[in-house]
Amino acid sequence: MITHEQIPTVLDHPVYDTDGNKIGDAKHVFLDDATGQPEWVSVKTGLFGTSESFVPIQDASLVEDHLEVPYRKDTVKGAPNVDVDAGGHLSEDEEHRLYEHYGIDWDAAWQQANQPGEGGWAQPGTPPRGVDTSDTAAGLGTARPDAGPDDAMTRSEERMHVGTERRETGRARLRKYVVTEEVQQTVPVRREEVRVEREPITDENRDAALSGPDVSEAEHEVTLHEERPVTETETVPVERVRMTTEEHTDEETVRGKVRKEQIDTEGVDEDRRGT
């Protein structure tokens, strides 16, 4: 449980869930009207802290420089939206809805708070149930009971802080696959054909012509050849392909609404305001 002395340490510090995930930053602490102990903490969540969720603080613990709550991040971000009134006060209906969301027995908690003695309704001087104890309740400046003898009023205003978050926009991958295509190449091929040559009998070949019998039968055979195209394939590397990323910087205009307080005076002479 967080004590009154630890509240300044909790405010504006990170809040983590049971899995060690950061939920957001603590903005306000609300007290239980029965026990006067810290009961709720509001956490700024969402992009740039645009949303505010309420988390029970009874079982939370302060670890080093951050607050750990026994709830998951999605449970906290899904808590019912609560509009805190100008006095920084949670209504009974709003608390009831929050109790149901976090699975806390409302009747049991109410009966425990209603018991006389320590922590019960009999405790005098405790602030109203669900009262914000921070300097700026619900984001607006309010006069604290111990404002001091000068009776000064603090004027506050919101400031917008713009940052960036990295998110995944898509994926690219390299995929290698096989296709078959037709290729064509012309090559010369040779073939043999039979050609009959006749030569007359001359003095030079007469002896060869008369070497055989005068009249006889004979047969002579010639083998013919031709070339045919044949193919074979081989695998050779042709290039290396890889993917890299390039970072480009663009400019975007972010618009938001911030609130600021103005202070008017009543019953003061206009001519003497600046004196």
Side-chain angles (χ1 to χ4, degrees):
M1 177 179 291
I2 304 303
T3 64
H4 284 273
E5 292 75 14
Q6 292 175 319
I7 291 178
T9 306
V10 171
L11 296 178
D12 296 323
H13 281 74
V15 178
Y16 286 80
D17 68 359
T18 54
D19 297 327
N21 301 314
K22 181 180 178 181
I23 304 174
D25 294 326
K27 302 307 294 182
H28 305 93
V29 173
F30 293 76
L31 303 182
D32 187 288
D33 64 345
T35 64
Q37 297 300 321
E39 182 181 22
W40 301 97
V41 60
S42 64
V43 183
K44 283 287 187 179
T45 62
L47 183 61
F48 308 137
T50 54
S51 301
E52 192 168 0
S53 301
F54 282 75
V55 192
I57 203 174
Q58 294 94 328
D59 298 325
S61 58
L62 190 62
V63 180
E64 295 180 353
D65 62 343
H66 66 272
L67 182 70
E68 290 186 1
V69 294
Y71 302 100
R72 297 177 61 88
K73 181 177 181 179
D74 53 356
T75 301
V76 175
K77 297 184 70 173
N81 292 328
V82 173
D83 293 327
V84 181
D85 60 27
H89 182 267
L90 291 176
S91 67
E92 181 177 325
D93 179 65
E94 291 168 337
E95 271 201 310
H96 201 167
R97 289 190 292 118
L98 289 171
Y99 267 80
E100 289 181 348
H101 175 75
Y102 287 104
I104 302 175
D105 190 341
W106 166 265
D107 293 330
W110 179 267
Q111 291 175 5
Q112 180 181 0
N114 196 36
Q115 296 298 322
E118 183 177 357
W121 286 103
Q123 294 297 311
T126 58
R129 187 176 186 84
V131 170
D132 184 1
T133 62
S134 62
D135 291 341
T136 53
L140 300 176
T142 58
R144 300 180 60 180
D146 55 349
D150 58 354
D151 294 330
M153 181 178 293
T154 301
R155 189 182 70 84
S156 303
E157 65 182 25
E158 295 178 336
R159 301 287 176 87
M160 184 173 70
H161 300 281
V162 180
T164 61
E165 67 172 358
R166 189 177 183 89
R167 63 185 180 90
E168 183 178 300
T169 58
R171 295 190 177 186
R173 62 172 59 90
L174 288 177
R175 182 171 63 90
K176 183 170 70 173
Y177 58 96
V178 178
V179 297
T180 302
E181 61 180 14
E182 295 284 341
V183 295
Q184 179 176 305
Q185 185 175 344
T186 302
V187 296
V189 294
R190 295 176 299 178
R191 60 187 176 84
E192 297 177 341
E193 294 182 354
V194 174
R195 186 177 64 181
V196 178
E197 295 182 353
R198 299 174 184 272
E199 60 180 18
I201 302 298
T202 62
D203 293 338
E204 295 179 355
N205 61 18
R206 183 179 298 278
D207 294 337
L210 297 176
S211 63
D214 293 340
V215 177
S216 64
E217 293 182 354
E219 183 177 314
H220 183 69
E221 182 178 282
V222 176
T223 301
L224 302 176
H225 299 84
E226 69 175 6
E227 295 178 337
R228 291 183 178 179
V230 294
T231 63
E232 65 175 355
T233 61
E234 65 172 337
T235 302
V236 295
V238 292
E239 65 177 347
R240 297 279 292 169
V241 181
R242 66 172 54 87
M243 290 194 304
T244 61
T245 60
E246 295 181 350
E247 191 171 275
H248 297 271
T249 302
D250 300 323
E251 291 187 353
E252 294 188 7
T253 301
V254 179
R255 292 182 173 87
K257 293 182 178 180
V258 296
R259 298 176 299 173
K260 59 176 62 178
E261 300 169 342
Q262 302 292 339
I263 298 177
D264 289 334
T265 59
E266 296 182 2
V268 178
D269 191 346
E270 293 290 339
D271 296 334
R272 302 187 60 183
R273 282 191 178 184
T275 60

